[in-house]
Amino acid sequence: MDFIGTILEFFKCAGPPIHQYVRRHRKLSEIMRNLERALQELNSKKGDIEATLKVECDLGKKQPSNEVNDWLKNVERINNEAQSIEEEVKKGKYFSRARLGKHAEEKIQEVKEYHQKGRSFTSLVIDAPPSRGLTLTMATLAGEKTKKVVEEIWEDLMGDKVTKIGVWGMGGIGKTTIMKEINNRLQKETNKFNVVIWVTVSQPLYLIKLQTEIATALKQSLLENEDKVRRAGELLGMLKAKEKFVLILDDMWEAFRLEEVGIPEPSEENGCKLVVTTRSVGICRSMGCKEVRVQPLSNEEALNLFLDKVGSSTLQIPTLDKKIINLVVEECAGLPLAIVTVAGCMRGVDEIHEWRNALNELRGRVRSLNGVDTEVFGRLEFSYHRLKHEKVQQCFLYCALYPEDFAIPKDELIDYWIAEGFIEEVKDVQAKYDRGHTILNRLVNCCLLESAKDGRCVKMHDLIRDMALSITSESPSFMVKAGLRLQEFPGKQEWKANLERVSLMMNDIEEIPSYMSPHCDILSTLLLQANGNLWTIPECFFVYMHGLKVLNLSRTNIKVLPSSVSDLMNLRSLLLRWCENLERVPSLAKLLALQYLDLEETGIEEVPEGMEMLENLSHLYLSSPRLKKFPTGILPRLRNLYKLKLSFGNEALRETVEEAARLSDRLDTFEGIFSTLNDFNLYVKSTDGRGLKNYCLLLSAYWMGGFLITDLEVHKSIFLIDCKICEREETIVLPEDVQFLQMFEVSDVASLNDVLPREQGLVNIGKFSHDLKVLRFDSCKNLKNLFSLRLLPALQNLEVLEVEDCYSIEEIVAVEDEETEKELATNTIINIVTLPRLKKFYLWGLREFKSFCSNNGVLVCNSLQEIEVHRCPKLKRLSLSLPLLDNGQPSPPPTLEVIKMEKELWESLEWDQPNAKDVLNPYCKFVALWNINKQQLISGNFQCSYLFLY
């Protein structure tokens, strides 16, 4: 004991750091108990504040203050960080005890500070600003009759007598387009209503889902586990708090009682309005609505719409008789959807014989069907059959496997098509994607699909989906029960031998009966994803599915994949993403046809047996938080890999890092999640300059699975999240061709210059200079500036610059050279910072930010499109140098579109050039900010808090 005491005394004498090290090492358990007690007090205060907020904000007139929101966000962060420390402690690593004790003590201090801050709040809420709803994308209104209907509905909404309106008419006649026009006018032209709520109902009617969607449209939420009656009471309170509202329920198939859902009965007294669209006049009557019928277009209106879509130059084709065009249009019966769809198919056709043939086909399909909907189907089927190629038709029908009104990701759809064998005329994977996108464009151009606003998804009009399902019902080859919230698995009698494709995605199926073993030898696709209550699948289930090519069980709760999957030798796509409880996957050794294997975010600890046999594998996603073992030698055998995603969470995977790097010259896309700087640098160095077309590398001290490169607009991206990148022993090494760099909560960096030390900076700058396009810094608390003048050559292609919540930053561009800094300070020289391709710069929440360039620095950005500055209270000078006209007067950058900032800030800014403010003022959208952060602004997930004042 004397020896130990002597050693401890030595440590004390050696200085406080060593003494603290030993103390924390020995007393880690006591420190963790102190942390637990401090957290209990903090979370008690958090609970009190949240309860108060619920009472005060539920009526919609109040919302949490910025300060309270920030406090809650930070308390959540503190809890997560404390939990991470606790998990590290439980691992029992001897040499980590002192480090963890230090982190825990720092966390205790932070917990106490936030607890004290929570007790000091004098008020928790502020008044909520007004908002009326969303503006919707829509097609152009066609025809005078349609416009008269719009005016009739508008007059009823502006008047007091009519409180419920039912807009009805056959499918494809334009009811939704009419109501989108009304919705958008309500946003722009009147203050009569406090909010406009749009909900697409579709079939079957599911009241709990309807309640959820109305609440979501109000930017609020209902408790999932409460019964329908309680939820109706909550929703009633939300809607009454809005006082005057318009509720638009699009595409209704069944009537219901408003009180069942929680919708107040509209009346003259409360000023509320309800509008429904439906194909059935009976629903209008059942709901007590005024009936407004939408009539088909007149012949002239139909012809004008047709020519607008097919191209008016069609009339100039000398061999083409206008009479035959009129006859084709007449067969569309004045239905806008049919007109647009048929016109899309005939665009570019200039042979009279082809037009006659098309007319005969169209007539034949319409005459062979009876009933209103089937007659519409006949006109739409014409467009389907005009696709000619069977594989393209199969691609179209495959879209019907998704739920109604679903936004279908393009790349996911093409992956299915490739796995099904619809795209086999080309062998190269990239060529297959190109062919897939070509098919999608054709389907969109033929108006059989609609392109979503973000460009990454497509949608099917509900009537076209019904038509597609009617085609598959002729020979019962599809079973589609997607998104119906089914709880029971389809009975044995429904699993017919000639089934080719089955979609049961997005239901609430709880179990597959143990006896279920369908004899479906030609079944090629089985989609069971997003059945969160599904825990087990019988061993015998897949025994008679030898033809299965696509199996999607993603987002289910299965723990074990049945061993019968091992015999599915035709399987090409096995998707198990986000099966978080999945612990075991059977041998894959026989699945030699497998091309897609997705095990992202599963619970597996080892790679499946036999994976080295999968030489046809083109897509492998294996980023799992529990993955501990990845035998070497597997990756080099996967010669056809095109996309690869891996996580490297422990030292056992170190050799796999190098193997993955050596694949870079033949991969198209690599996504890597690294937990240590050493592994990250090892990968970058091991690529040895062999560039990938696409990569996304993530370095984080905590698990950050789920990152998708498809979410990015650039192809070569680095994310650095809550990690150390400038350690004594090692500084981060960045790829030479990085295009997108984001740092989030990186605390050991004061400037981007730290990443490129002076001694090696000039070399790296030269390599960097043609690639970096997007630079983002978020919550980097020690950041003082972004870069110095010597880094400027590396940024000549920079297009986007974003800095958010970096509380210490004072300027963007710093001057390192003392002599230059003195000259700038005395106005001896003017420092010109040129970023010729910068399109957008965005600054948010920078408390100490004073100017873009220190002293006499000015910024020249003649490609600027958007400037956005918020919550920068110390900013006095924007330092923007404007182009000069011949008369010497400043002019805005030619590409400038908008400037967004608070009006008070704009008026306080100083400018170097006379009249600069007057020149730029027309581009300003003054913004009043209440209670949102950047992520809420981008996603739209906020409660009426963002207002443009023109």
Side-chain angles (χ1 to χ4, degrees):
M1 291 297 293
D2 289 340
F3 177 75
I4 298 294
T6 303
I7 295 293
L8 292 176
E9 284 300 315
F10 169 77
F11 281 142
K12 290 178 183 178
C13 295
I18 297 178
H19 170 63
Q20 296 283 18
Y21 180 93
V22 175
R23 181 184 63 79
R24 290 164 178 151
H25 190 282
R26 294 180 62 187
K27 296 191 175 183
L28 179 60
S29 297
E30 181 181 334
I31 294 171
M32 291 304 295
R33 286 194 295 272
N34 292 340
L35 176 59
E36 184 180 357
R37 283 192 290 270
L39 279 171
Q40 285 176 348
E41 293 181 3
L42 178 63
N43 286 321
S44 294
K45 173 54 67 177
K46 176 174 177 277
D48 292 343
I49 287 175
E50 286 176 332
T52 305
L53 288 175
K54 182 169 177 58
V55 172
E56 295 192 19
C57 297
D58 264 3
L59 294 179
K61 296 182 180 180
K62 299 284 184 180
Q63 62 185 36
S65 67
N66 295 336
E67 191 179 18
V68 170
N69 251 349
D70 288 344
W71 187 87
L72 289 169
K73 178 182 174 182
N74 279 301
V75 170
E76 192 64 34
R77 172 185 57 78
I78 289 168
N79 275 292
N80 292 336
E81 291 171 356
Q83 185 178 354
S84 297
I85 294 172
E86 185 179 354
E87 289 170 357
E88 285 291 311
V89 170
K90 286 178 180 177
K91 291 178 181 177
K93 293 183 179 179
Y94 183 80
F95 293 106
S96 299
R97 291 175 63 84
R99 175 178 61 82
L100 293 170
K102 181 175 182 293
H103 289 338
E105 285 186 333
E106 291 171 348
K107 197 55 59 186
I108 289 170
Q109 183 59 34
E110 189 178 18
V111 167
K112 289 179 178 178
E113 289 172 2
Y114 272 91
H115 182 253
Q116 183 59 37
K117 189 173 182 180
R119 295 175 62 185
S120 67
F121 287 133
T122 55
S123 176
L124 300 178
V125 297
I126 58 176
D127 291 335
S131 174
R132 290 196 295 275
L134 295 173
T135 301
L136 303 174
T137 57
M138 56 171 287
T140 306
L141 287 173
E144 289 303 315
K145 289 183 181 177
T146 304
K147 292 174 183 176
K148 285 180 181 177
V149 169
V150 169
E151 292 309 315
E152 181 182 351
I153 296 169
W154 183 259
E155 286 176 14
D156 287 338
L157 288 172
M158 294 301 103
D160 296 325
K161 292 185 179 180
V162 178
T163 58
K164 294 190 287 187
I165 304 166
V167 182
W168 72 280
M170 61 194 302
I173 206 163
K175 301 181 294 295
T176 299
T177 302
I178 287 169
M179 286 316 303
K180 283 183 176 180
E181 169 72 12
I182 292 289
N183 174 85
N184 294 349
R185 281 180 65 178
L186 287 168
Q187 310 302 326
K188 297 176 185 176
E189 298 182 18
T190 179
N191 294 317
K192 182 178 175 69
F193 302 101
N194 295 330
V195 65
V196 181
I197 307 157
W198 178 288
V199 174
T200 301
V201 183
S202 301
Q203 58 176 328
L205 178 63
Y206 186 56
L207 293 185
I208 287 182
K209 181 184 175 187
L210 179 57
Q211 289 173 329
T212 299
E213 292 191 353
I214 295 173
T216 301
L218 293 169
K219 310 298 182 190
Q220 299 192 51
S221 60
L222 297 168
L223 293 175
E224 290 294 327
N225 12 345
E226 284 193 345
D227 61 38
K228 188 171 64 180
V229 176
R230 283 178 172 272
R231 286 163 58 93
E234 286 184 53
L235 185 60
L236 186 67
M238 293 177 191
L239 287 168
K240 281 186 173 180
K242 295 297 180 184
E243 296 177 348
K244 293 184 177 182
F245 64 80
V246 178
L247 175 59
I248 301 171
L249 300 179
D250 186 42
D251 196 21
M252 275 186 54
W253 289 74
E254 295 178 48
F256 62 89
R257 288 183 290 115
L258 297 181
E259 63 268 23
E260 273 190 280
V261 176
I263 301 170
E265 183 69 33
S267 65
E268 286 188 54
E269 289 73 26
N270 62 27
C272 300
K273 304 277 186 174
L274 171 70
V275 187
V276 304
T277 73
T278 177
R279 299 182 196 178
S280 167
V281 67
I283 290 175
C284 299
R285 292 168 182 168
S286 297
M287 299 290 293
C289 296
K290 175 191 172 181
E291 300 163 24
V292 177
R293 184 175 182 180
V294 182
Q295 300 279 5
L297 300 178
S298 68
N299 290 341
E300 183 181 355
E301 292 168 343
L303 179 61
N304 289 336
L305 178 59
F306 184 87
L307 290 173
D308 181 59
K309 299 302 178 184
V310 80
S312 56
S313 59
T314 303
L315 289 175
Q316 310 305 319
I317 299 172
T319 58
L320 197 57
D321 184 358
K322 186 179 177 181
K323 183 179 179 182
I324 199 166
I325 298 176
N326 281 319
L327 291 172
V328 169
V329 173
E330 284 176 15
E331 289 299 324
C332 296
L335 296 175
L337 180 62
I339 294 166
V340 168
T341 306
V342 172
C345 292
M346 300 307 295
R347 190 184 297 120
V349 176
D350 55 9
E351 276 284 332
I352 185 67
H353 306 291
E354 210 169 333
W355 277 85
R356 285 199 196 108
N357 181 61
L359 177 61
N360 290 332
E361 284 184 14
L362 191 52
R363 283 173 170 169
R365 300 204 172 278
V366 174
R367 306 292 184 269
S368 65
L369 297 167
N370 295 310
V372 175
D373 278 350
T374 50
E375 285 184 19
V376 178
F377 290 168
R379 295 178 173 94
L380 299 178
E381 275 186 38
F382 165 80
S383 301
Y384 164 76
H385 288 283
R386 291 284 300 176
L387 294 173
K388 303 292 186 186
H389 300 289
E390 182 185 356
K391 292 288 178 66
V392 178
Q393 291 174 338
Q394 293 280 12
C395 288
F396 164 71
L397 294 176
Y398 206 94
C399 301
L401 294 173
Y402 286 89
E404 191 169 306
D405 298 310
F406 192 82
I408 308 170
K410 288 181 178 179
D411 282 347
E412 177 181 292
L413 188 58
I414 293 171
D415 285 340
Y416 283 144
W417 291 350
I418 294 172
E420 273 276 8
F422 298 158
I423 305 175
E424 289 189 327
E425 60 269 33
V426 289
K427 299 300 180 186
D428 177 72
V429 179
Q430 184 58 54
K432 289 178 185 287
Y433 276 108
D434 293 342
R435 173 65 178 149
H437 281 286
T438 301
I439 293 171
L440 275 174
N441 289 339
R442 184 174 176 190
L443 295 175
V444 170
N445 290 336
C446 289
C447 301
L448 290 170
L449 293 179
E450 304 165 12
S451 189
K453 191 175 182 180
D454 64 0
R456 294 174 182 160
C457 298
V458 290
K459 296 183 78 172
M460 249 186 165
H461 189 284
D462 58 346
L463 195 61
I464 289 179
R465 180 176 181 268
D466 291 343
M467 178 268 289
L469 292 176
S470 77
I471 291 172
T472 63
S473 69
E474 294 169 6
S475 168
S477 59
F478 279 29
M479 185 205 300
V480 181
K481 298 188 176 186
L484 304 183
R485 317 316 303 179
L486 299 177
Q487 293 184 327
E488 294 187 4
F489 198 71
K492 193 173 181 180
Q493 71 280 2
E494 297 185 69
W495 292 86
K496 301 182 185 298
N498 62 349
L499 272 178
E500 292 181 20
R501 294 176 189 97
V502 172
S503 177
L504 299 171
M505 70 169 79
M506 296 175 64
N507 282 302
D508 296 320
I509 295 169
E510 296 180 1
E511 65 172 344
I512 299 175
S514 58
Y515 59 82
M516 185 67 74
S517 182
H519 285 61
C520 297
D521 285 335
I522 64 170
L523 183 66
S524 60
T525 288
L526 177 57
L527 305 179
L528 273 166
Q529 67 264 36
N531 277 280
N533 295 326
L534 184 61
W535 290 87
T536 59
I537 299 176
E539 276 293 325
C540 61
F541 184 70
F542 298 106
V543 169
Y544 301 106
M545 296 184 183
H546 301 299
L548 202 59
K549 294 177 181 177
V550 176
L551 175 59
N552 195 337
L553 292 164
S554 301
R555 289 180 169 81
T556 59
N557 269 313
I558 58 171
K559 289 187 175 182
V560 177
L561 194 63
S563 55
S564 54
V565 169
S566 297
D567 295 319
L568 299 176
M569 296 186 348
N570 288 305
L571 196 64
R572 296 182 181 180
S573 182
L574 178 57
L575 309 175
L576 299 161
R577 174 174 296 194
W578 288 99
C579 293
E580 295 177 325
N581 294 310
L582 183 66
E583 298 170 354
R584 187 179 70 83
V585 174
S587 173
L588 305 178
K590 295 181 185 179
L591 307 187
L592 303 184
L594 200 64
Q595 298 172 6
Y596 297 81
L597 179 59
D598 191 342
L599 293 167
E600 184 172 351
E601 293 293 325
T602 59
I604 63 169
E605 297 185 359
E606 299 181 7
V607 300
E609 180 187 335
M611 212 170 81
E612 69 278 1
M613 304 298 293
L614 307 180
E615 295 189 2
N616 285 312
L617 202 65
S618 60
H619 295 65
L620 174 60
Y621 303 102
L622 192 49
S623 56
S624 170
R626 301 179 199 169
L627 186 65
K628 295 178 181 177
K629 188 177 178 182
F630 196 125
T632 57
I634 291 179
L635 285 179
R637 294 191 61 174
L638 306 179
R639 298 186 182 89
N640 291 302
L641 273 183
Y642 181 77
K643 291 187 178 182
L644 174 64
K645 181 170 183 178
L646 292 176
S647 58
F648 306 96
N650 59 70
E651 294 182 4
L653 301 175
R654 184 70 43 81
E655 292 183 28
T656 311
V657 173
E658 296 181 78
E659 286 190 344
R662 286 194 289 271
L663 295 176
S664 61
D665 55 351
R666 51 190 168 102
L667 282 175
D668 175 86
T669 301
F670 175 72
E671 293 184 62
I673 300 175
F674 302 87
S675 60
T676 69
L677 179 60
N678 187 277
D679 281 349
F680 182 95
N681 283 350
L682 178 62
Y683 175 83
V684 174
K685 291 174 182 177
S686 299
T687 57
D688 194 27
R690 296 188 295 267
L692 287 156
K693 189 183 295 184
N694 307 288
Y695 62 73
C696 178
L697 307 181
L698 168 69
L699 173 61
S700 176
Y702 303 103
W703 176 252
M704 296 289 294
F707 261 71
L708 294 175
I709 201 165
T710 50
D711 291 338
L712 305 176
E713 296 177 359
V714 289
H715 305 293
K716 299 176 180 182
S717 308
I718 303 291
F719 290 87
L720 308 173
I721 299 177
D722 196 8
C723 56
K724 303 285 186 183
I725 63 172
C726 293
E727 299 179 0
R728 285 184 181 178
E729 303 81 10
E730 192 169 17
T731 299
I732 194 167
V733 178
L734 295 175
E736 297 172 2
D737 57 352
V738 60
Q739 297 176 342
F740 177 108
L741 176 61
Q742 174 163 337
M743 297 188 194
F744 178 77
E745 292 190 354
V746 177
S747 59
D748 63 342
V749 171
S751 170
L752 188 60
N753 290 55
D754 296 345
V755 178
L756 295 174
R758 181 175 289 275
E759 57 271 15
Q760 60 183 353
L762 293 176
V763 177
N764 286 350
I765 286 169
K767 293 177 180 178
F768 245 23
S769 60
H770 297 292
D771 298 297
L772 195 61
K773 294 182 178 180
V774 180
L775 191 57
R776 290 179 179 169
F777 293 86
D778 192 339
S779 305
C780 298
K781 62 182 180 182
N782 292 317
L783 196 70
K784 299 294 185 185
N785 60 71
L786 294 196
F787 50 84
S788 70
L789 288 175
R790 72 180 176 87
L791 263 185
L792 201 57
L795 304 171
Q796 292 304 289
N797 286 306
L798 192 68
E799 296 179 5
V800 178
L801 180 60
E802 298 186 5
V803 192
E804 178 182 1
D805 290 339
C806 297
Y807 298 142
S808 300
I809 192 169
E810 297 179 4
E811 58 190 356
I812 301 298
V813 185
V815 179
E816 286 183 316
D817 181 64
E818 290 184 11
E819 187 173 334
T820 304
E821 190 167 6
K822 287 179 183 177
E823 291 178 333
L824 288 169
T826 57
N827 294 331
T828 308
I829 62 171
I830 295 177
N831 180 32
I832 298 176
V833 177
T834 302
L835 295 173
R837 299 194 177 181
L838 190 68
K839 297 177 181 177
K840 173 182 178 180
F841 75 75
Y842 178 98
L843 309 174
W844 181 296
L846 311 182
R847 297 173 183 170
E848 302 299 322
F849 182 65
K850 297 173 183 174
S851 68
F852 201 99
C853 313
S854 58
N855 299 318
N856 271 351
V858 295
L859 178 66
V860 178
C861 302
N862 290 338
S863 298
L864 265 179
Q865 297 174 359
E866 186 172 343
I867 301 169
E868 194 159 354
V869 183
H870 307 296
R871 295 180 184 166
C872 298
K874 294 187 178 181
L875 179 62
K876 301 298 180 188
R877 181 169 167 267
L878 207 55
S879 311
L880 184 64
S881 177
L882 301 179
L884 296 178
L885 299 172
D886 293 339
N887 61 6
Q889 291 298 310
S891 67
T895 53
L896 188 63
E897 296 174 0
V898 67
I899 300 172
K900 299 177 185 176
M901 64 177 67
E902 296 97 322
K903 189 172 184 179
E904 296 79 7
L905 175 59
W906 174 257
E907 291 177 348
S908 70
L909 286 178
E910 300 171 1
W911 297 86
D912 297 327
Q913 295 170 292
N915 304 325
K917 184 177 289 188
D918 294 336
V919 167
L920 295 177
N921 206 58
Y923 296 89
C924 288
K925 290 185 177 179
F926 297 124
V927 179
L929 295 172
W930 282 274
N931 178 38
I932 53 171
N933 58 34
K934 177 185 169 191
Q935 285 73 26
Q936 289 174 308
L937 178 60
I938 292 170
S939 66
N941 184 22
F942 59 91
Q943 283 194 348
C944 316
S945 307
Y946 193 77
L947 179 64
F948 286 141
L949 306 172
Y950 297 87

